[in-house]
Amino acid sequence: MLRVGVVGASGYVGGETLRLLLHHPEVEVAQATSRRYAGEFVYRVHPNLRGMTELKFMDVDVDRLAECDIVFMATPHGASARLTPKLLEVGLKVIDLSADFRLKDESAYPRWYGWHHPAPELLSEAVYGLPELHRREIAKARLVACPGCMAASAILALAPVVRAGLVDLERIVVDAKMGSSGSGATATLASIHAERFGVVRPYAPAGHRHVAEIEQELGALCGKPLKVGMTAHAVNIVRGILSTIHTYPVGELELRKLWQVYREAYGDEPFVRLVRDKKGIYRLPDPKVVFGTNFCDIGFELDKHAGRLVLFSAMDNLMKGAAGQAVQCLNIMLGVDEKTGLDFPGFHPA
Amino acid sequence: MLRVGVVGASGYVGGETLRLLLHHPEVEVAQATSRRYAGEFVYRVHPNLRGMTELKFMDVDVDRLAECDIVFMATPHGASARLTPKLLEVGLKVIDLSADFRLKDESAYPRWYGWHHPAPELLSEAVYGLPELHRREIAKARLVACPGCMAASAILALAPVVRAGLVDLERIVVDAKMGSSGSGATATLASIHAERFGVVRPYAPAGHRHVAEIEQELGALCGKPLKVGMTAHAVNIVRGILSTIHTYPVGELELRKLWQVYREAYGDEPFVRLVRDKKGIYRLPDPKVVFGTNFCDIGFELDKHAGRLVLFSAMDNLMKGAAGQAVQCLNIMLGVDEKTGLDFPGFHPA
Amino acid sequence: MLRVGVVGASGYVGGETLRLLLHHPEVEVAQATSRRYAGEFVYRVHPNLRGMTELKFMDVDVDRLAECDIVFMATPHGASARLTPKLLEVGLKVIDLSADFRLKDESAYPRWYGWHHPAPELLSEAVYGLPELHRREIAKARLVACPGCMAASAILALAPVVRAGLVDLERIVVDAKMGSSGSGATATLASIHAERFGVVRPYAPAGHRHVAEIEQELGALCGKPLKVGMTAHAVNIVRGILSTIHTYPVGELELRKLWQVYREAYGDEPFVRLVRDKKGIYRLPDPKVVFGTNFCDIGFELDKHAGRLVLFSAMDNLMKGAAGQAVQCLNIMLGVDEKTGLDFPGFHPA
Amino acid sequence: MLRVGVVGASGYVGGETLRLLLHHPEVEVAQATSRRYAGEFVYRVHPNLRGMTELKFMDVDVDRLAECDIVFMATPHGASARLTPKLLEVGLKVIDLSADFRLKDESAYPRWYGWHHPAPELLSEAVYGLPELHRREIAKARLVACPGCMAASAILALAPVVRAGLVDLERIVVDAKMGSSGSGATATLASIHAERFGVVRPYAPAGHRHVAEIEQELGALCGKPLKVGMTAHAVNIVRGILSTIHTYPVGELELRKLWQVYREAYGDEPFVRLVRDKKGIYRLPDPKVVFGTNFCDIGFELDKHAGRLVLFSAMDNLMKGAAGQAVQCLNIMLGVDEKTGLDFPGFHPA
């Protein structure tokens, strides 16, 4: 049994990672750390785990973490950049759920995150943890940097058409709608139920940090620079993200061609579903359908009138947008079935 | 006292119109019609009106409606096109909340609505009931055609920059997020709470009918054809719409210029607020803030990175998007203060 | 014009009071105080008031408050007990929305609130601000202590049957369901959207402080001691409270008798509606229907099988449960129509 | 592999049963019937199953169902009473999720359900499918009648104290709060999002049918007749039920005694958790915590002031309240680990 540790396990991403790992047949959860809740039962913070585990949170201790084989970092941005080098040094593998090793370009950190990276030498080694693009590198990686949820959502929807050169690279708009769990387990006035319930609140009208990841990954796919304009909204759900992506085709584009490139890209993927149905209530992706699952549902529509191609991408931000993605990477690194511990169909109704 | 009738008063738009007119100091509600609920107390269908009125629904009868001075049509699309000509003939004024007289071009009806207009001769006479664009014509109108809620939302946000020639007319995207009251008081499986709760569901990925109105009105403003790509989503609220509008500036554009054109356009408007704050929780428009009010809140942001101008427009779809708009038009027609019966500040928290 | 001040105006109760007073034709809002937001525009904190007022919050200053005629105290429990005596001393009238002057019995404060009352001599003078029970005393009062929202809800439902001696005084259960605005504008982990959304969470299984008020007021009505068991739950709404009250009739009880005692009690009340309909969707009280209004809707049902009488009482906790109640008291004190500034019918749908 | 069929598989209970059985290692889903959707892909109706199964709905056909080993009946009340006898006749075992075989007393059907039972001879054979009370009989049963969700919730909370004679049997109140999935996949005006969102709506103030089951099962436990008064409310969630149960202790009752009887009753139960914590956000049962799981969380509180014992019972109405319960019964009948296919910890946050 592989021994895993989760650093930052009291947050939502850390808790979700813990939930998945506790039920994962190939691993044993050796440690869950939380500075704030050290000594407390895990189920006090994550009440879903009541009766499932008697684990207690520990404080972070590199020496103790060294007893693990793999560590998941679910820390606030900035913390992993300082801790991960030490973990690698003692021979651990690290799957990082923060933003700290996602960007290849050292200068992107001061620009998008406002700080200089303390371990820039690791940026080229780190593998961007999106299996659909980097499965082979993930298998051999020592350090995996899992994508941001909005980035994952946008990249998966855009990759096939960007790779195939089907859309104008200067006119890509990502209009994202996010659930409240994306803001983390932190109490602010803006996040309390009375203020946050029932909103459709633009919280990042432009300049969201995930733009950097999206441009990096899509740019690598097409070999050209591209510009992504992202606007993020808070909506009245807890889990889930829908990215609606507005693009403009280069030249004539038919549905048949779209089916072709999407099937080529994702036909064999265990966690990407193409959703574009002619019947039923759920004809296009909707986060309600993927609640609790590791699926990314992708759909598309051609707007002949306005010359537009619209893409839709729905996922559970804590699953395929974070913890589920990380466990999928783990499975690849372990060489087991990618669906191990992730084969959950979701609910109807959720 | 002006005698008013509301046709189709058992629906949400009709009920909201009724609510406003029952409290309006210049009018008396003479009739509220509903085929389905004829003979039933109005408060049975609209429970908020319990104790406020003993009015009962009547069946539709042109002769009886002739006793009114003005009639509000809150009927399903298609019904008003047949009834309104008869009402005009007996000397009534009509404020139509359906789509039946919004479009000037007769050929637009078969194209966007799938039927031929039975009274095309009235299309040029009908005034598009958006006071911010057509106040003077509304004042003298015999027939006012109130905008669709998504159209009103988009037009008000776009009008200043389109009129000033600031944005690319071929690359306008309206990404709309709608509450469930927009679907009306009709029972379908897709609309029940278990299926509709918690969704972020793209229900009109392209080709929404309101595009026709938007292009008509904005085209008239700038004197050129333009293309609007609209995608509409259902979100987990009852009332409210947020339109996020993604545009591309023509040439250099600064915030100062934007403030200038928006202030010029709306500085004196009683029901348009510019919302772009540097502090607080609600820095940009959010339908939660305008719940129950007749306000359209408009905001904007320049995305220098992606060369984008993003506009935000929030309203209550049943108020400024329907009944409130209609009553504002009524006030203009009556020559009274436009805020009469509409001066409601909304709630915090809503 | 009467000059009014609102102390604690940045909270939800204070903000709602402000909203009502700003639109009240008989008063002028002279001051709104907030220690935390002193100097800040009121609309930054209460975004619904944007464009409605240029008022700024001030710090609390007794000398400056002395320029008012009446002061509304919307402070945390304990603060009013210290400030109100000073305000009375300078000749002001005070309408207190906190719990500090609700209880007549000095010894109840240490028992239910955990502190000794600093001004016990005022407890007998203070009038419990429930117009349906104390209208005459309110008219002449110098100090009005408005009820807690759950207390108001329970007392209004129970008063007629307790006064008439129809129910067992030892077996009264109040099962309350509350919206999140009842917790106030305070950020705690328990109150953030991700944790609070979708709950049916028992937050006060027994011993809620409002029990003291309920027993005091109902005891006075029937001249006997009685016991109320209250359990309070948080539910997934922002505004509103439903109290379901389970009682056991003494002797035979028929619906006709219930209609009689409730009509006698509330037939002429402007803000109590009896809701027990045979048709329609909303046959019994529901907070959704009274959202934003000053109504308390009351209904009842006899459970012949279990020998039970069930009462239902729905109100908006910030309106009839707080600010609306306070303004109703103000109207009584001013001798104007009780509905002044409160005549709002609510929404359908809300 | 056991071959199972699900009759009525297009509803919510049937769909949830299907979801569980498709992932159950000991069974193969041979048939899923639906009159309405016969010929349609299952995933069109249950979008969570997209990519999980290519199964199509069939029409109901007893001869074809005879090819199964066990059939789950998820039909509307009344249908199973007619079909189940035929299935038993051809040698099938039946797990019935409807109410048709829950009541032992033939005369209870006309009284509570309004029809005469067509197969009363089966009522004594049928085993009430609550493992915590009838595990041994379930193991040997040919026909299992799974409890109603509100009944299961109330019985599990009450059984220990009723069995131990701790509470007054004439003064038991069940105040239930239900999610919208409990109303099934049926479109009515009362159930659409605009009308159902944000309610706290008493929909069964007295006389709910589940009372009959509760009194039957608890009466059998204590050997005496008892009276349960139930009031059911619709609240703003999709899945979940909280039953708050108000009782009056007979004689002195201490927390220690309660812990003892509840531990004795449920200490070894795989799906009942006792939740009464002193710390954290979730100190008492809350349906949010058990969303998607087969747990019933039970808590209690003594109200010394009012002489009351309050019980709380939270479950997912489609899981432990229906499909999960049925699969737990299946596991018992198969002699496999009861947790097979049900070992899901729920989400944080849900």
Side-chain angles (χ1 to χ4, degrees):
Chain A
M1 290 281 262
L2 198 79
R3 291 170 57 83
V4 300
V6 180
V7 176
S10 63
Y12 291 153
V13 167
E16 192 73 347
T17 306
L18 217 45
R19 172 177 78 84
L20 294 171
L21 295 175
L22 284 167
H23 279 71
H24 195 288
E26 307 286 340
V27 309
E28 176 198 354
V29 177
Q31 292 177 44
T33 83
S34 164
R35 287 187 207 280
R36 185 170 169 197
Y37 294 102
E40 188 60 88
F41 283 114
V42 159
Y43 68 75
R44 278 260 167 70
V45 172
H46 301 302
N48 57 324
L49 300 179
R50 186 184 293 267
M52 313 305 266
T53 178
E54 293 300 309
L55 200 69
K56 288 183 174 184
F57 292 111
M58 293 175 177
D59 208 341
V60 181
D61 179 319
V62 174
D63 291 339
R64 210 158 42 196
L65 282 168
E67 298 164 18
C68 298
D69 300 303
I70 293 198
V71 169
F72 290 76
M73 298 294 297
T75 45
H77 301 317
S80 170
R82 292 188 302 271
L83 184 58
T84 288
K86 297 178 195 165
L87 299 177
L88 295 174
E89 214 171 282
V90 295
L92 294 172
K93 292 188 173 183
V94 173
I95 298 177
D96 186 9
L97 289 125
S98 82
D100 291 7
F101 294 94
R102 291 178 193 156
L103 304 180
K104 297 297 171 199
D105 176 4
E106 182 182 345
S107 73
Y109 281 93
R111 179 173 171 211
W112 292 94
Y113 287 88
W115 41 268
H116 288 274
H117 203 288
E121 68 284 1
L122 290 170
L123 293 177
S124 58
E125 179 189 348
V127 175
Y128 193 73
L130 194 59
E132 291 78 5
L133 294 188
H134 300 288
R135 183 168 279 114
R136 286 188 199 171
E137 303 148 82
I138 292 166
K140 297 174 288 186
R142 191 172 65 135
L143 170 56
V144 170
C146 289
C149 60
M150 273 186 284
S153 156
I155 294 167
L156 286 174
L158 281 162
V161 290
V162 165
R163 192 195 284 120
L166 301 181
V167 297
D168 180 350
L169 299 178
E170 297 292 314
R171 295 283 183 273
I172 296 174
V173 168
V174 178
D175 189 295
K177 295 93 175 162
M178 274 291 297
S180 57
S181 61
S183 310
T186 309
T188 66
L189 189 56
S191 67
I192 68 171
H193 186 272
E195 301 288 349
R196 176 69 177 68
F197 185 87
V199 302
V200 189
R201 185 189 291 165
Y203 71 89
H208 194 284
R209 293 159 165 189
H210 289 182
V211 166
E213 298 171 45
I214 301 171
E215 291 183 355
Q216 166 183 293
E217 293 298 311
L218 295 179
L221 276 184
C222 66
K224 292 179 208 159
L226 77 175
K227 287 288 179 210
V228 170
M230 177 182 277
T231 300
H233 307 75
V235 292
N236 194 26
I237 58 174
V238 170
R239 275 176 184 248
I241 171 172
L242 182 80
S243 290
T244 307
I245 303 169
H246 307 278
T247 65
Y248 291 94
V250 173
E252 281 295 299
L253 185 56
E254 295 301 326
L255 280 174
R256 193 179 309 182
K257 178 67 179 170
L258 288 165
W259 274 116
Q260 186 197 319
V261 299
Y262 279 97
R263 282 222 180 89
E264 271 176 26
Y266 300 129
D268 295 329
E269 282 298 335
F271 292 115
V272 179
R273 296 189 295 201
L274 302 180
V275 179
R276 190 173 185 284
D277 214 332
K278 274 161 282 179
K279 293 165 78 175
I281 299 177
Y282 299 93
R283 304 182 189 192
L284 286 167
D286 184 339
K288 182 177 172 91
V289 173
V290 295
F291 183 104
T293 79
N294 200 45
F295 289 111
C296 177
D297 281 1
I298 292 177
F300 45 81
E301 181 63 298
L302 276 172
D303 180 352
K304 295 275 184 182
H305 173 73
R308 206 172 36 124
L309 167 65
V310 195
L311 311 174
F312 301 97
S313 176
M315 58 172 61
D316 182 326
N317 56 300
L318 296 178
M319 286 292 298
K320 185 65 175 167
Q325 189 90 281
V327 171
Q328 190 180 351
C329 288
L330 172 74
N331 289 340
I332 293 170
M333 294 162 82
L334 294 179
V336 301
D337 183 337
E338 258 177 66
K339 288 184 286 188
T340 308
L342 295 172
D343 195 17
F344 179 75
F347 300 104
H348 179 236
Chain B
M1 291 281 261
L2 198 80
R3 290 170 58 84
V4 299
V6 179
V7 176
S10 63
Y12 291 154
V13 167
E16 192 73 347
T17 306
L18 218 46
R19 172 177 79 82
L20 294 172
L21 295 175
L22 284 168
H23 279 70
H24 195 287
E26 308 287 337
V27 309
E28 175 196 357
V29 177
Q31 292 177 44
T33 84
S34 164
R35 286 187 207 280
R36 186 171 167 196
Y37 294 103
E40 188 61 87
F41 283 113
V42 159
Y43 68 75
R44 278 259 167 67
V45 172
H46 301 302
N48 56 325
L49 300 180
R50 185 184 294 268
M52 314 303 266
T53 178
E54 292 301 308
L55 200 70
K56 287 183 174 184
F57 292 111
M58 294 175 177
D59 209 340
V60 180
D61 180 319
V62 173
D63 291 338
R64 211 157 43 194
L65 282 169
E67 298 164 17
C68 298
D69 300 304
I70 292 196
V71 170
F72 290 76
M73 298 294 297
T75 46
H77 301 318
S80 170
R82 292 188 302 274
L83 184 58
T84 289
K86 296 177 195 163
L87 299 177
L88 295 174
E89 215 170 282
V90 296
L92 295 173
K93 292 187 174 184
V94 173
I95 297 178
D96 186 8
L97 290 126
S98 83
D100 291 8
F101 295 95
R102 291 178 194 156
L103 303 181
K104 298 295 170 200
D105 177 4
E106 181 180 348
S107 73
Y109 280 92
R111 180 175 170 212
W112 291 93
Y113 287 88
W115 40 268
H116 287 274
H117 203 287
E121 68 284 1
L122 289 170
L123 294 177
S124 58
E125 179 188 348
V127 175
Y128 193 73
L130 194 58
E132 291 77 6
L133 294 188
H134 300 290
R135 185 168 278 115
R136 287 189 199 169
E137 303 148 82
I138 293 166
K140 297 174 289 183
R142 189 172 66 135
L143 170 55
V144 170
C146 289
C149 60
M150 273 186 284
S153 156
I155 294 168
L156 286 174
L158 281 161
V161 289
V162 165
R163 192 193 286 120
L166 301 181
V167 297
D168 181 349
L169 300 177
E170 297 293 313
R171 294 284 184 272
I172 296 174
V173 167
V174 178
D175 189 296
K177 296 92 175 163
M178 273 291 297
S180 58
S181 62
S183 310
T186 309
T188 67
L189 189 55
S191 66
I192 69 172
H193 186 272
E195 301 289 350
R196 176 68 177 70
F197 186 86
V199 302
V200 189
R201 184 190 290 166
Y203 71 89
H208 195 284
R209 292 159 165 188
H210 289 182
V211 166
E213 297 171 43
I214 300 171
E215 292 182 356
Q216 166 184 292
E217 294 297 311
L218 295 179
L221 276 185
C222 66
K224 293 179 207 157
L226 76 175
K227 286 289 179 209
V228 171
M230 178 183 277
T231 301
H233 307 77
V235 292
N236 195 26
I237 58 175
V238 171
R239 275 175 185 246
I241 172 172
L242 182 81
S243 289
T244 308
I245 302 168
H246 306 278
T247 66
Y248 290 94
V250 173
E252 280 295 299
L253 185 56
E254 296 301 326
L255 280 174
R256 193 179 308 183
K257 177 69 179 172
L258 288 165
W259 274 116
Q260 186 198 319
V261 299
Y262 279 97
R263 283 222 179 91
E264 271 176 27
Y266 299 128
D268 296 330
E269 282 298 334
F271 291 114
V272 179
R273 296 189 295 200
L274 302 181
V275 179
R276 190 174 186 284
D277 213 333
K278 273 161 282 178
K279 295 166 78 175
I281 299 177
Y282 299 93
R283 304 182 190 191
L284 286 167
D286 184 337
K288 183 177 171 90
V289 173
V290 295
F291 183 104
T293 79
N294 200 45
F295 290 111
C296 177
D297 281 0
I298 293 177
F300 46 81
E301 181 65 298
L302 276 173
D303 180 352
K304 295 274 183 182
H305 172 74
R308 205 173 36 124
L309 167 65
V310 195
L311 311 175
F312 301 96
S313 176
M315 57 172 61
D316 182 325
N317 56 300
L318 295 178
M319 286 293 298
K320 185 66 177 169
Q325 188 89 283
V327 171
Q328 190 180 352
C329 288
L330 172 75
N331 289 341
I332 294 170
M333 293 162 83
L334 294 180
V336 300
D337 184 337
E338 259 179 64
K339 289 184 286 187
T340 307
L342 296 171
D343 193 18
F344 179 74
F347 299 105
H348 179 238
Chain C
M1 290 282 261
L2 198 79
R3 291 171 57 84
V4 300
V6 180
V7 176
S10 63
Y12 291 154
V13 167
E16 192 73 346
T17 306
L18 219 45
R19 173 177 77 83
L20 293 172
L21 295 175
L22 285 167
H23 280 68
H24 195 289
E26 307 288 337
V27 308
E28 176 198 354
V29 177
Q31 292 178 43
T33 82
S34 164
R35 287 187 206 281
R36 186 170 168 196
Y37 294 102
E40 188 60 88
F41 283 114
V42 159
Y43 68 74
R44 278 258 167 71
V45 172
H46 302 301
N48 56 324
L49 300 180
R50 186 184 293 269
M52 313 303 266
T53 178
E54 293 301 309
L55 199 69
K56 288 184 174 183
F57 291 111
M58 293 175 177
D59 208 339
V60 181
D61 180 317
V62 174
D63 292 337
R64 209 157 42 195
L65 283 169
E67 298 163 18
C68 297
D69 300 304
I70 293 197
V71 169
F72 289 78
M73 299 294 298
T75 46
H77 301 317
S80 170
R82 291 188 303 272
L83 185 57
T84 289
K86 297 177 194 163
L87 299 177
L88 295 175
E89 215 171 282
V90 297
L92 295 173
K93 292 186 176 186
V94 173
I95 297 177
D96 186 8
L97 291 125
S98 83
D100 290 8
F101 295 95
R102 290 176 194 158
L103 303 181
K104 297 297 170 197
D105 176 5
E106 183 180 346
S107 73
Y109 281 93
R111 181 175 170 208
W112 292 94
Y113 288 89
W115 41 267
H116 287 273
H117 203 288
E121 67 284 0
L122 289 170
L123 294 178
S124 58
E125 180 189 348
V127 175
Y128 193 72
L130 194 59
E132 292 77 5
L133 294 188
H134 300 289
R135 185 169 277 113
R136 287 190 198 168
E137 303 148 81
I138 292 166
K140 297 174 290 185
R142 192 173 63 135
L143 170 56
V144 170
C146 288
C149 59
M150 274 187 282
S153 156
I155 294 168
L156 286 174
L158 281 162
V161 290
V162 165
R163 192 194 285 121
L166 301 180
V167 297
D168 180 351
L169 299 178
E170 296 293 313
R171 294 284 184 271
I172 296 174
V173 167
V174 178
D175 189 296
K177 296 93 176 163
M178 274 290 299
S180 58
S181 62
S183 309
T186 310
T188 66
L189 189 56
S191 67
I192 69 171
H193 187 271
E195 301 288 349
R196 175 70 177 68
F197 186 86
V199 302
V200 189
R201 182 188 293 166
Y203 71 90
H208 194 283
R209 292 161 164 187
H210 288 183
V211 166
E213 297 171 45
I214 300 171
E215 292 183 356
Q216 166 184 292
E217 293 298 310
L218 295 179
L221 276 185
C222 65
K224 293 177 209 160
L226 77 174
K227 286 289 178 208
V228 171
M230 177 183 275
T231 301
H233 306 78
V235 293
N236 195 25
I237 58 175
V238 171
R239 276 174 183 247
I241 171 172
L242 182 81
S243 290
T244 308
I245 301 169
H246 306 278
T247 65
Y248 291 95
V250 172
E252 280 296 298
L253 185 56
E254 296 300 326
L255 280 174
R256 192 179 308 180
K257 177 70 180 171
L258 288 166
W259 274 116
Q260 187 197 318
V261 298
Y262 279 98
R263 282 220 180 93
E264 271 176 27
Y266 300 129
D268 296 328
E269 282 298 334
F271 292 115
V272 179
R273 296 189 295 201
L274 302 181
V275 180
R276 190 174 186 284
D277 213 334
K278 274 160 282 180
K279 295 166 78 174
I281 299 177
Y282 298 93
R283 303 182 190 192
L284 286 166
D286 184 339
K288 182 177 171 91
V289 173
V290 295
F291 182 104
T293 79
N294 200 45
F295 290 111
C296 176
D297 281 1
I298 292 177
F300 46 81
E301 181 64 298
L302 276 172
D303 179 352
K304 296 273 183 181
H305 173 74
R308 206 174 34 125
L309 166 65
V310 194
L311 311 174
F312 301 97
S313 176
M315 57 173 60
D316 182 325
N317 56 299
L318 296 178
M319 287 292 298
K320 185 64 178 169
Q325 189 88 282
V327 171
Q328 190 179 352
C329 288
L330 172 73
N331 290 339
I332 293 169
M333 293 163 83
L334 293 180
V336 301
D337 184 337
E338 259 177 64
K339 291 184 285 187
T340 307
L342 295 172
D343 195 18
F344 179 74
F347 299 104
H348 180 237
Chain D
M1 290 284 260
L2 199 80
R3 291 171 56 84
V4 299
V6 180
V7 176
S10 62
Y12 292 153
V13 167
E16 191 74 345
T17 306
L18 219 44
R19 172 177 77 83
L20 293 172
L21 295 174
L22 285 167
H23 280 69
H24 194 288
E26 307 287 339
V27 308
E28 175 198 354
V29 177
Q31 293 177 42
T33 83
S34 163
R35 287 187 206 280
R36 185 169 169 198
Y37 294 102
E40 189 60 87
F41 283 114
V42 159
Y43 68 74
R44 278 259 167 70
V45 171
H46 301 303
N48 56 324
L49 300 180
R50 186 183 294 268
M52 313 303 268
T53 178
E54 293 301 308
L55 200 69
K56 289 183 173 182
F57 292 111
M58 294 176 176
D59 208 341
V60 181
D61 179 318
V62 174
D63 291 339
R64 209 157 45 195
L65 282 169
E67 298 164 18
C68 297
D69 299 304
I70 292 197
V71 169
F72 290 76
M73 299 293 298
T75 46
H77 301 317
S80 171
R82 291 187 303 273
L83 185 58
T84 289
K86 297 177 193 163
L87 299 178
L88 295 175
E89 216 170 283
V90 296
L92 294 173
K93 291 188 175 183
V94 173
I95 296 178
D96 186 9
L97 290 126
S98 82
D100 290 8
F101 295 95
R102 290 177 194 157
L103 304 180
K104 296 299 170 195
D105 176 4
E106 182 181 346
S107 73
Y109 280 93
R111 181 176 171 208
W112 292 95
Y113 287 89
W115 41 268
H116 287 273
H117 203 288
E121 68 283 1
L122 289 170
L123 294 177
S124 59
E125 179 188 348
V127 175
Y128 193 72
L130 194 59
E132 291 78 5
L133 294 187
H134 299 289
R135 185 169 277 115
R136 286 189 200 169
E137 303 148 82
I138 292 167
K140 298 173 290 186
R142 192 172 64 134
L143 170 55
V144 170
C146 288
C149 59
M150 273 187 282
S153 155
I155 294 167
L156 287 173
L158 281 161
V161 289
V162 165
R163 193 194 285 121
L166 301 182
V167 297
D168 180 350
L169 298 178
E170 297 292 315
R171 295 285 183 274
I172 296 174
V173 167
V174 178
D175 189 294
K177 295 91 176 164
M178 275 290 299
S180 58
S181 62
S183 309
T186 309
T188 66
L189 188 56
S191 67
I192 68 172
H193 187 272
E195 301 289 349
R196 176 68 177 70
F197 185 87
V199 302
V200 189
R201 183 189 292 166
Y203 71 89
H208 194 284
R209 292 159 165 190
H210 288 182
V211 167
E213 296 172 46
I214 300 171
E215 292 183 355
Q216 166 183 294
E217 293 298 309
L218 295 179
L221 277 185
C222 65
K224 293 179 208 158
L226 76 176
K227 286 289 179 208
V228 171
M230 178 183 274
T231 301
H233 308 76
V235 292
N236 195 26
I237 59 175
V238 170
R239 274 173 185 249
I241 171 173
L242 182 82
S243 289
T244 307
I245 302 169
H246 307 279
T247 65
Y248 291 94
V250 173
E252 281 295 298
L253 185 56
E254 296 301 325
L255 281 173
R256 192 179 309 182
K257 177 68 179 171
L258 288 166
W259 274 116
Q260 186 196 320
V261 299
Y262 279 97
R263 282 220 180 93
E264 271 176 28
Y266 300 129
D268 296 330
E269 282 299 334
F271 292 116
V272 179
R273 296 188 295 201
L274 302 180
V275 179
R276 190 174 185 284
D277 214 333
K278 273 161 281 178
K279 294 166 79 175
I281 299 177
Y282 300 93
R283 304 182 189 192
L284 287 166
D286 184 338
K288 182 177 171 91
V289 173
V290 294
F291 183 105
T293 79
N294 201 45
F295 290 111
C296 177
D297 281 0
I298 293 177
F300 45 81
E301 181 63 297
L302 277 173
D303 179 351
K304 295 274 183 182
H305 172 74
R308 207 173 33 125
L309 167 65
V310 195
L311 310 175
F312 301 96
S313 176
M315 56 173 60
D316 182 326
N317 56 299
L318 296 178
M319 286 293 296
K320 186 64 178 168
Q325 188 90 280
V327 171
Q328 190 180 352
C329 289
L330 172 74
N331 289 340
I332 293 169
M333 293 163 83
L334 294 180
V336 300
D337 184 336
E338 259 177 65
K339 290 184 284 187
T340 308
L342 296 171
D343 195 17
F344 179 74
F347 300 103
H348 181 235

